[in-house]
Amino acid sequence: MRLGQIRLENEITAAVFEGDSARPIPNHKVCDLIRRSEAESIPLHELALSLASRHAEPATPLQPIHPTEVWACGCTYEMSASFRDAEHGTREGMYAYVYREPRPEIFFKGTSRVCVGPGQAIGIRVDSQFTAPEPELALILGSHGKIVGYTLANDVSAWDIERENPLYLPQSKVFTACCALGPVIVTPDELTDPYNLTLSCTITRKGATRFEGATSTSRLHRKFETLTEYLLRANQVPAGSVLLTGTGIIVTEDAALAAGDTVTIRVAQIGELSNTADVVE
Ligand code: DO4
Ligand code: MG
């Protein structure tokens, strides 16, 4: 099932998506549904279907969830670890270490304050000359780390700030509009093989393609359960939190984001997440 959020009578409202139409679930946001499905022990997709209005109408998907917490994993694809070790001038092998060792890299990406949905602007820090999109599969978590859905994410990152010094990582990762989510959440009953998704990314500037890249989640070096298990160690994140699973697509420096560029991330089984970049001060 494809679950998301739409605007209904000026309220952000959960909805079941069927093609370009949606069936609203009045008086619920997606986080409410996740909490209620747990409280009532009903699988999320069954609860959503039982509450959705019968009438489907054309609707634009908004940010599919407003999470209290967004977390992100790093160096989960060999490409991300080797690029960072080779290019970033940081301590030799630091990224390879977390790629190889049992404990994954997990960092706090922010709250709903820094998230945007499809069609909204993603941020380029005013003090960064090399900001890159990081196209990632995102897990939607229930309590105890249960995966209740999948969506697309853009872990927009100021790579020049990360490169300058590893202690600057939080500033390279967390800033206004640094995380795009969407277009919808696909629940596990429909997305049965999350380790076999082709994820692609395009950056266009004034209609011309500046960058194209693709990867497959089959190249992910970690199991999602390992990532959620480490995230939840001594850290009970609330139901409705989001966990980004890392990038396997590395944008070249000549395609550093500029204001007006459009980043589009696609997974056939989930949809397309498109955002235009803008400078944030
Ligand atoms: O420490 C670097 C961050 C890595 C990251 O965000 C990724 O691999 O996706
Ligand atoms: Mg990332």
Side-chain angles (χ1 to χ4, degrees):
M1 195 204 56
R2 307 164 82 75
L3 186 62
Q5 299 192 127
I6 60 172
R7 191 163 289 281
L8 182 73
E9 290 161 8
N10 227 20
E11 285 286 320
I12 292 172
T13 304
V16 174
F17 278 82
E18 292 161 353
D20 290 337
S21 296
R23 294 199 285 134
I25 305 175
N27 307 317
H28 289 78
K29 295 188 179 15
V30 164
C31 270
D32 301 326
L33 284 176
I34 293 172
R35 285 190 288 265
R36 188 167 162 185
S37 91
E38 295 194 334
E40 297 179 15
S41 301
I42 306 173
L44 181 60
H45 66 284
E46 284 179 21
L47 178 70
L49 284 175
S50 73
L51 295 173
S53 64
R54 288 183 186 200
H55 181 64
E57 46 196 273
T60 306
L62 304 178
Q63 187 179 315
I65 187 165
H66 286 79
T68 319
E69 297 182 8
V70 181
W71 295 81
C73 303
C75 303
T76 50
Y77 291 80
E78 201 276 330
M79 182 76 170
S80 177
S82 58
F83 163 76
R84 287 179 154 86
D85 272 330
E87 302 293 323
H88 283 210
T90 49
R91 191 151 57 89
E92 189 59 30
M94 184 180 79
Y95 295 98
Y97 180 91
V98 295
Y99 177 76
R100 184 184 64 233
E101 291 299 308
R103 183 188 291 273
E105 177 194 6
I106 301 179
F107 56 90
F108 188 60
K109 180 69 181 167
T111 64
S112 279
R113 181 183 65 80
V114 296
C115 294
V116 297
Q120 292 185 293
I122 47 172
I124 303 172
R125 288 183 65 115
V126 67
D127 56 355
S128 166
Q129 267 63 59
F130 184 14
T131 288
E134 293 189 10
E136 307 189 10
L137 182 69
L139 312 177
I140 312 297
L141 303 181
S143 350
H144 312 297
K146 184 173 177 214
I147 298 167
V148 299
Y150 303 90
T151 193
L152 303 181
N154 190 342
D155 172 21
V156 185
S157 304
W159 280 355
D160 49 350
I161 294 177
E162 177 187 337
R163 177 194 285 169
E164 187 179 340
N165 188 301
L167 298 184
Y168 293 154
L169 187 76
Q171 293 175 73
S172 77
K173 290 292 189 182
V174 186
F175 48 91
T176 301
C178 68
C179 181
L181 298 171
V184 292
I185 295 166
V186 184
T187 50
D189 58 295
E190 182 169 326
L191 209 164
T192 51
D193 193 2
Y195 295 105
N196 192 20
L197 304 174
T198 301
L199 204 146
S200 67
C201 175
T202 312
I203 304 177
T204 53
R205 183 173 300 170
K206 294 186 181 132
T209 302
R210 280 197 76 84
F211 173 85
E212 270 179 315
T215 191
S216 166
T217 52
S218 62
R219 306 180 83 141
L220 194 63
H221 180 60
R222 310 271 185 179
K223 291 288 173 223
F224 300 135
E225 286 68 24
T226 311
L227 300 176
T228 56
E229 192 265 312
Y230 271 96
L231 172 66
L232 266 80
R233 280 193 190 184
N235 183 35
Q236 294 302 317
V237 302
S241 294
V242 174
L243 180 61
L244 278 49
T245 58
T247 188
I249 299 175
I250 297 296
V251 168
T252 45
E253 190 153 1
D254 60 322
L257 289 181
D261 287 358
T262 299
V263 180
T264 303
I265 300 171
R266 294 181 197 83
V267 164
Q269 295 86 337
I270 300 177
E272 202 172 274
L273 173 62
S274 209
N275 302 89
T276 296
D278 204 357
V279 175
V280 290
E281 298 193 5

